[in-house]
Amino acid sequence: MTTRTRIARLRTLGLAGLATTGAAAAALTLMPTNAQAAELTQAHTSTAVTATGDNSHTAAKRSGYANNLDGWIKQSLQIMKAKGIPGSYDGLKRNIMRESGGNPSAQNNWDVNAQKGTPSKGLLQVIDPTFNAYHVGGTAHSVTDPVANITAAANYAAHRYGSIDNVNSAY
């Protein structure tokens, strides 16, 4: 990648309001292929969970977790453990920092997903169909809610890669 291309991408990231350390976050997305999405709809219908209506920010305060990246990761890990979803603090944080720079409001408005009308959103840059397929009960049903975003992305990564810890580059 040339310096000029890198600068142009960083400028684009800045304009979109992403607090990220590099242009890689713009290109990375948790997204199933069309065939996988169809399979997920059928295969995970029995394991699909419904939203509890609980806001993760409120739940974080009640459960003693800080309302920051560290607290969101720790709360997600607690839910993941209860639901049997593998993953570690380090694996989650590494992927979050690469995907969004830790910004829960990050949204990719320029990649192929955005061009098709489904931009990647949140800490782990999840598109709505993936979030809906892998949403985990006990979290808010909002792709931009930090705990819900982390937990759904980790659930997706567990099904696709065995664990979020196995994701070290583009999804």
Side-chain angles (χ1 to χ4, degrees), residues 106-118:
Q107 182 167 315
N108 181 329
N109 290 315
W110 52 88
D111 74 356
V112 68
N113 296 313
Q115 292 170 7
K116 292 179 180 179
T118 55

Side-chain angles (χ1 to χ4, degrees), residues 53-152:
D54 198 8
N55 180 306
S56 291
H57 295 294
T58 303
K61 290 176 185 170
R62 278 199 320 261
S63 62
Y65 292 103
N67 191 19
N68 60 25
L69 183 58
D70 180 66
W72 301 326
I73 292 172
K74 287 177 179 176
Q75 186 178 0
S76 293
L77 284 168
Q78 180 183 22
I79 295 166
M80 290 164 57
K81 182 177 180 182
K83 302 289 184 175
I85 301 168
S88 70
Y89 184 97
D90 291 338
L92 289 169
K93 187 164 185 183
R94 180 185 68 246
N95 283 287
I96 288 168
M97 296 312 292
R98 185 185 62 246
E99 291 290 337
S100 68
N103 178 359
S105 300
Q107 182 167 315
N108 181 329
N109 290 315
W110 52 88
D111 74 356
V112 68
N113 296 313
Q115 292 170 7
K116 292 179 180 179
T118 55
S120 307
K121 302 172 188 171
L123 289 169
L124 281 164
Q125 293 294 281
V126 182
I127 61 172
D128 290 336
T130 302
F131 178 81
N132 291 330
Y134 289 97
H135 174 255
V136 176
T139 67
H141 203 280
S142 168
V143 70
T144 57
D145 178 87
V147 173
N149 186 280
I150 293 169
T151 311

